[in-house]
Amino acid sequence: MVDQTWDSGGLSWVADPRKSAPALDSLLTWAYRSGASRVSFQTGHRPRVKIYGHNHMVGDRAHEDEVIGDTTVDEAEIAQIVNHLYGADGMAHMQGGGELDTTYEIAVSRTERLRYRLNVTSTRGSRRSGVNIVLRPIPGLPPSLEEQLVEPGIMEAFRPRNGMVIVSGGTGSGKSTLIAGMTVAKLFDPNGHYDIIEGAAPVEFLLDRVKSPNSTINQSEIPRDLPTFEQFIRGCMRREPTDIIVGECRDSVTMSAAIQAAISGHALTTTIHANDAALTMQRIACLCPLAERENLISAVAQSLRLVVNQKLTTSLDGKRTALREFLAFDRNLRNRFLETDPTQWPALTRRAIEEQGQSFAQAIDKALQDGRISEETAAHELREEG
């Protein structure tokens, strides 16, 4: 881990909680401009940034003598930062076993605002308890699907009239960015006439600024605007949307509500944490509540339209590029899943991907042929795939 130097200008992390945090905002602005995907603070340590997949400790370069200073954040400074991000009782909330998961925004100028996805969690170290603060920059608008190099097979399948579109992958794999790109494409569609409602925790890309010719979007943050995803989905059913976006299906209650929305004539797009498409199908089945699993499994099999699993890898320019495994579901494939025991869904998914989708091995080969990744990166990714 190497140093990345930032000029604090001698500012304090927080000058006036909830109002002014000059050094914090300066560091976050510098990290944003440097292409960082993650900024983290930990009690008793120097801040860290992740730039194009590589971790760096942050040093402070003074104005005059160009000396790297100590940026270690002590307990009092961490408490000030938490209270600035959360409120006067921020540290009490953390020490009571709480967690903070929301967004943070900086007004750089009258016309520019920087937004960050924020998580604050209590931690335990060798000396004492502490706090870990992680901020992940959110671009103002997502890259277009063309800029994200989305494959034709996905482009043809991501906007069904009804049914489920699942985007899966690990944390930080670009799931939200891909879905936001899909959403913007719908909003710009001159023949779209979409009415899109999104619920997320938090809302990352604020898309009301997109000037759509004939479509609408409304976004709600969970639990700030509505307490649960279940309640959000229930409310959607009374608002006559064409498309519903659920930020993440992370529990059985949300999955059950999402499936009900998908089989009631809406297009439902959501994310799931899974390492590949086959495990995504396994995860979907596991998230169906046991008491109603049989009926919900049948509904899933009938409603699936597209499953995309995405991961990021190092590109030749030193940045990151997406590798995608995907499977589009036609009527015949849905019937095959309907007739197959859910325990066999992962195996069926792997066979179907080879027959009519794109595997990670194929995605890796294509990225290599397109000159996006090196032979070493391709070999590493293939080994990871086993």
Side-chain angles (χ1 to χ4, degrees), residues 25-346:
D25 290 354
S26 170
L27 172 60
L28 292 175
T29 302
W30 166 82
Y32 190 99
R33 305 280 191 245
S34 300
S37 61
R38 183 179 190 269
V39 182
S40 65
F41 295 84
Q42 184 177 351
T43 307
H45 294 267
R46 291 162 60 182
R48 265 77 166 175
V49 295
K50 178 168 281 189
I51 301 176
Y52 304 130
H54 297 280
N55 286 320
H56 306 273
M57 288 188 294
V58 176
D60 180 9
R61 186 175 294 278
H63 281 294
E64 298 178 0
D65 56 10
E66 298 290 306
V67 173
I68 306 302
D70 184 10
T71 56
T72 299
V73 185
D74 62 29
E75 288 184 60
E77 290 168 327
I78 279 283
Q80 287 181 327
I81 293 172
V82 171
N83 289 338
H84 172 72
L85 295 171
Y86 183 81
D89 60 343
M91 282 304 296
H93 179 77
M94 292 298 109
Q95 291 164 354
E99 181 190 40
L100 174 61
D101 194 7
T102 183
T103 54
Y104 180 64
E105 191 171 284
I106 299 170
V108 178
S109 67
R110 281 187 173 184
T111 58
E112 184 180 17
R113 306 182 78 85
L114 305 182
R115 299 181 69 245
Y116 303 82
R117 184 168 185 164
L118 165 70
N119 180 272
V120 185
T121 306
S122 297
T123 61
R124 178 68 55 180
S126 57
R127 293 180 297 172
R128 60 180 70 86
S129 60
V131 170
N132 179 217
I133 303 169
V134 176
L135 299 109
R136 294 159 56 197
I138 304 169
L141 287 175
S144 68
L145 296 181
E146 290 75 18
E147 290 171 319
Q148 295 186 54
L149 305 176
V150 172
E151 292 83 350
I154 296 175
M155 297 288 276
E156 294 169 3
F158 80 88
R159 46 180 124 197
R161 184 175 302 173
N162 52 57
M164 297 183 74
V165 173
I166 307 290
V167 177
S168 61
T171 301
S173 60
K175 300 185 297 297
S176 297
T177 301
L178 179 56
I179 288 178
M182 294 174 175
T183 305
V184 170
K186 292 176 183 178
L187 292 173
F188 279 138
D189 184 349
N191 301 310
H193 299 278
Y194 296 99
D195 292 301
I196 304 169
I197 301 177
E198 178 182 7
V203 173
E204 296 198 14
F205 296 92
L206 298 173
L207 300 181
D208 61 311
R209 71 190 77 182
V210 176
K211 304 303 181 185
S212 173
N214 51 40
S215 296
T216 67
I217 183 165
N218 284 275
Q219 297 169 285
S220 298
E221 188 162 296
I222 313 298
R224 178 177 292 178
D225 301 315
L226 291 166
T228 65
F229 280 108
E230 181 188 21
Q231 187 166 334
F232 161 74
I233 297 171
R234 214 169 39 235
C236 285
M237 309 299 280
R238 298 189 288 269
R239 296 163 68 185
E240 200 178 359
T242 60
D243 292 62
I244 300 170
I245 302 171
V246 175
E248 181 186 347
C249 277
R250 64 179 70 179
D251 55 45
S252 59
V253 173
T254 305
M255 177 57 74
S256 176
I259 294 169
Q260 295 299 333
I263 63 175
S264 59
H266 304 88
L268 187 287
T269 302
T270 189
T271 69
I272 289 177
H273 279 87
N275 289 333
D276 60 29
L279 292 176
T280 300
M281 297 301 296
Q282 183 181 64
R283 179 78 173 141
I284 292 171
C286 290
L287 282 172
C288 293
L290 188 60
E292 49 184 332
R293 181 164 295 174
E294 185 174 344
N295 289 335
L296 289 177
I297 289 292
S298 174
V300 168
Q302 296 175 68
S303 64
L304 278 169
R305 299 294 184 269
L306 175 67
V307 171
V308 181
N309 188 270
Q310 177 168 291
K311 61 182 63 175
L312 301 179
T313 193
T314 303
S315 54
L316 278 175
D317 59 6
K319 298 182 180 181
R320 309 280 271 171
T321 190
L323 301 173
R324 300 184 188 94
E325 180 175 73
F326 66 88
L327 178 62
F329 289 72
D330 56 20
R331 185 182 300 275
N332 288 335
L333 183 57
R334 290 196 294 273
N335 286 337
R336 287 172 65 186
F337 274 86
L338 187 61
E339 296 164 359
T340 301
D341 187 290
T343 61
Q344 299 303 310
W345 276 11

